[in-house]
Amino acid sequence: MNFKRTFIFILGSFFCYAAQANDFTSDSAQKVPVLNSPFRSLQFGIAGTSSVFRDFATSPLFYNGSPMQYCLAWSKDEGRKERRLSLKYQSGKFKPELKEVQTPSTVSTIYLQYSRLWYLTSWKKTDFRLGGMLDFGGNLRINPSLQNNAAGLEIFNTLFLSAKASRDVSRLNQKSGKFLFLFKYRRVPRRRTISFQLNAAVMNNSFRNGYIYSNQANITSKPNIFYNYKFNSFSGYRLNTALEYSIFFSNGNAIRYGWNWDAFQSGEKFNRLEMAHHAFQVSFLFQIPKREKK
């Protein structure tokens, strides 16, 4: 999986370099404030992850995996208000921390997220925004070695309070020179931004099974997959962050490198679920032209 992550970033860097190398007409010299420039886009992203989970309802062991994550998102930044709707999916095998236990667990996770941020103030070239994010997600976990408890399913949703800082790091003037005294390079003016967003849960809910997955409903003629499930409101906690670096091209499109971290813990006492993800993502942003009003 390390090879896959490396390949993703090499591929993303290649596209970024190729676009910059050929884009010599971009002297629309970013002379205007960058962060307040409206930008609407459709985003496609792929990420290599490093993930871990532990479910006390079945086992106290940590399971580690590196599933691939895929993301589709729509965003609209109007300067004073920023909105984003994204769908993320990841799936892969997780191995237990003990070598004596050989059977991995296959985990599929899906997230639907909507965030909205409002402009607060600026300091030098940095904007600060405050808002919230609503997240709906779920896991499906399959581990044949657990026999009657082989399948695990949980649904969770979180309301976050969000704070974001964005800084303009655009290159305003053309630069040229030689690298190692041999290779000539030419770097054109380029719009670039870097941002960090912190999302802290103010309401965390989960819909999960009881202490053990096995129940009599599974051996009757009318099995109930949600038998003995309980909805736990304001239960547990969740925290995530997003660090993003975006490079814009003269055609209005962009490439974005991101690191996302997410940690979740349900609130049950004996059957607590803990899960965390590190996702290293490359996204391609395609600008959506603004429709002119007739």
Side-chain angles (χ1 to χ4, degrees):
M1 299 306 295
N2 290 332
F3 171 78
K4 289 185 177 180
R5 287 198 292 269
T6 302
F7 176 77
I8 291 170
F9 280 95
I10 291 176
L11 181 63
S13 299
F14 172 79
F15 278 108
C16 179
Y17 173 80
Q20 292 191 47
N22 295 316
D23 187 12
F24 294 118
T25 60
S26 177
D27 56 7
S28 55
Q30 316 302 337
K31 301 295 184 182
V32 296
V34 170
L35 293 174
N36 289 324
S37 300
F39 183 66
R40 300 192 303 170
S41 67
L42 185 63
Q43 307 172 18
F44 299 91
I46 184 171
T49 73
S50 176
S51 305
V52 60
F53 80 87
R54 176 168 60 172
D55 184 7
F56 285 96
T58 56
S59 171
L61 296 179
F62 284 102
Y63 283 76
N64 299 278
S66 300
M68 299 302 295
Q69 185 182 98
Y70 306 93
C71 178
L72 173 65
W74 169 88
S75 69
K76 184 177 183 180
D77 188 349
E78 299 171 305
R80 295 284 172 174
K81 182 171 62 176
E82 177 183 344
R83 290 175 287 173
R84 182 183 297 185
L85 177 66
S86 60
L87 178 66
K88 299 179 181 180
Y89 172 78
Q90 68 180 50
S91 181
K93 293 185 180 297
F94 286 67
K95 296 181 179 180
E97 60 180 348
L98 291 182
K99 295 182 179 180
E100 291 80 2
V101 182
Q102 298 294 327
T103 307
S105 179
T106 301
V107 183
S108 298
T109 306
I110 190 169
Y111 302 99
L112 179 62
Q113 300 173 331
Y114 178 75
S115 66
R116 180 174 291 193
L117 302 168
W118 287 268
Y119 171 83
L120 287 180
T121 186
S122 297
W123 180 72
K124 294 185 178 180
K125 292 186 177 182
T126 304
D127 277 3
F128 297 93
R129 304 184 184 194
L130 187 67
M133 182 171 75
L134 185 60
D135 176 286
F136 291 92
N139 292 316
L140 174 61
R141 295 177 284 117
I142 305 295
N143 189 344
S145 66
L146 298 179
Q147 299 179 8
N148 291 338
N149 295 328
L153 174 66
E154 53 264 341
I155 302 172
F156 46 86
N157 75 282
T158 309
L159 176 63
F160 294 97
L161 176 65
S162 304
K164 182 178 181 179
S166 303
R167 184 170 180 81
D168 174 16
V169 291
S170 298
R171 182 169 57 247
L172 301 180
N173 301 305
Q174 181 175 292
K175 296 182 179 181
S176 60
K178 288 186 177 181
F179 177 69
L180 297 178
F181 304 102
L182 296 175
F183 306 100
K184 292 183 178 180
Y185 67 86
R186 184 182 179 188
R187 305 174 69 183
V188 300
R190 180 75 60 196
R191 175 185 174 184
R192 302 177 301 187
T193 62
I194 186 169
S195 66
F196 178 78
Q197 183 169 331
L198 173 66
N199 305 303
V202 294
M203 181 179 67
N204 193 63
N205 308 318
S206 63
F207 183 60
R208 277 177 43 78
N209 55 285
Y211 179 68
I212 191 167
Y213 295 160
S214 301
N215 58 75
Q216 294 181 357
N218 293 329
I219 59 176
T220 63
S221 59
K222 295 181 179 180
N224 181 3
I225 191 172
F226 294 119
Y227 179 84
N228 205 30
Y229 268 59
K230 296 180 180 179
F231 180 77
N232 302 297
S233 59
F234 292 92
S235 174
Y237 198 71
R238 193 173 176 190
L239 186 71
N240 68 42
T241 61
L243 178 64
E244 298 177 332
Y245 174 59
S246 305
I247 303 173
F248 295 81
F249 307 132
S250 61
N251 60 6
N253 299 331
I255 187 171
R256 174 174 292 163
Y257 300 94
W259 169 66
N260 299 280
W261 173 78
D262 181 77
F264 167 84
Q265 176 181 296
S266 65
E268 297 88 350
K269 184 176 181 180
F270 298 107
N271 59 321
R272 185 173 67 251
L273 172 69
E274 301 171 345
M275 179 171 283
H277 307 281
H278 290 275
F280 303 90
Q281 180 172 291
V282 175
S283 300
F284 299 93
L285 286 66
F286 298 93
Q287 185 181 34
I288 301 175
K290 185 177 181 180
R291 295 182 180 179
E292 296 183 1
K293 296 182 179 181
K294 296 182 180 180

